[in-house]
Amino acid sequence: MSRTQWGIGVPGALGAQSIGNLAALAEQSGYQSFWFNCVAPDADPVALLEAALAGTESIDIGTGVIPLAGYPPAALATGLAGGRANDSRVVLGMGSGGARRGSLARANDGIVQLRATLPRARIAVGAKGPRMVALATEHADALLFSMVTPDEARAIAHQLPATGQRAVVPYTYHRVALDPGARDRVHREMVSHGAWPTDADPPSGRDLLGTVLPSRSNVTDLVDADLALFPDNWRPVLRPLPSDPSALDEWRDLFQLLAPGG
């Protein structure tokens, strides 16, 4: 994973104005992509995507991921059709977002609807299971992973098309936190995403799915070392975990601290 491919992501709960400002900072800081999540009903993907695109010129803008159970594909496509989303810079990350029953059909419907409405945008599928990965590799442009171990990533890589066949780009979220309290923040993130049992002791070593930064020294080298465990062609999206998620100044500081050229 080359630093030149690093992206960075934030929660959509920050709101459209902050999303636009941070997208512009990400572009200025040398990141390849900027991402925000959408958690129904607290985030409007249309407004957030408009803000991020309006504040930038060249950086890729990704949504990671829009749960289609909360944002029905037809309504989502209609909303996005009226703005800037039909752009080759856009990576529309989507997932079924509901019960397993019908999840493949829901994801496939999302791909079809968004592809028809926004033909220039790229479609990414949030996936981990083999059937959803297979669906994405056949019909989407990218895969978006969160909370996967390097071993899981290598196993998934074997399912992807070989070089020279249809290109499907794998992205992976990678949590990063700065002390004090960094390990606890990464642990809480693992628990909230179901990657670690609630009642188990906090993980140690490589079981911790993120990078803990004990100081502001050698930051990109420490992140680089953890990302080197993943397949070379996977594109990382750094997901900072600030001590105060609502503090825009802390987000700005982490963006600059983690910048690929830092």
Side-chain angles (χ1 to χ4, degrees), residues 216-238:
R216 303 176 73 90
S217 300
N218 302 318
V219 165
T220 51
D221 289 340
L222 291 172
V223 176
D224 233 358
D226 284 340
L227 293 176
L229 300 174
F230 288 81
D232 289 342
N233 64 328
W234 283 41
R235 296 186 185 178
V237 178
L238 305 187

Side-chain angles (χ1 to χ4, degrees), residues 98-186:
R100 288 187 178 183
R101 186 179 180 85
S103 61
L104 286 170
R106 188 160 48 246
N108 186 66
D109 184 36
I111 294 171
V112 170
Q113 296 267 9
L114 293 172
R115 183 82 77 200
T117 306
L118 307 167
R120 297 186 65 213
R122 287 166 283 166
I123 309 297
V125 175
K128 190 172 182 180
R131 295 175 67 194
M132 193 67 78
V133 169
L135 174 72
T137 57
E138 185 175 356
H139 298 292
D141 305 295
L143 285 148
L144 183 59
F145 299 98
S146 180
M147 291 289 168
V148 296
T149 68
D151 286 344
E152 288 174 324
R154 286 189 289 270
I156 292 168
H158 289 302
Q159 302 178 52
L160 304 184
T163 302
Q165 297 180 11
R166 186 176 183 275
V168 180
V169 179
Y171 294 89
T172 185
Y173 272 96
H174 184 77
R175 272 72 179 180
V176 184
L178 176 65
D179 272 338
R183 182 172 292 278
D184 287 342
R185 291 199 294 281
V186 176

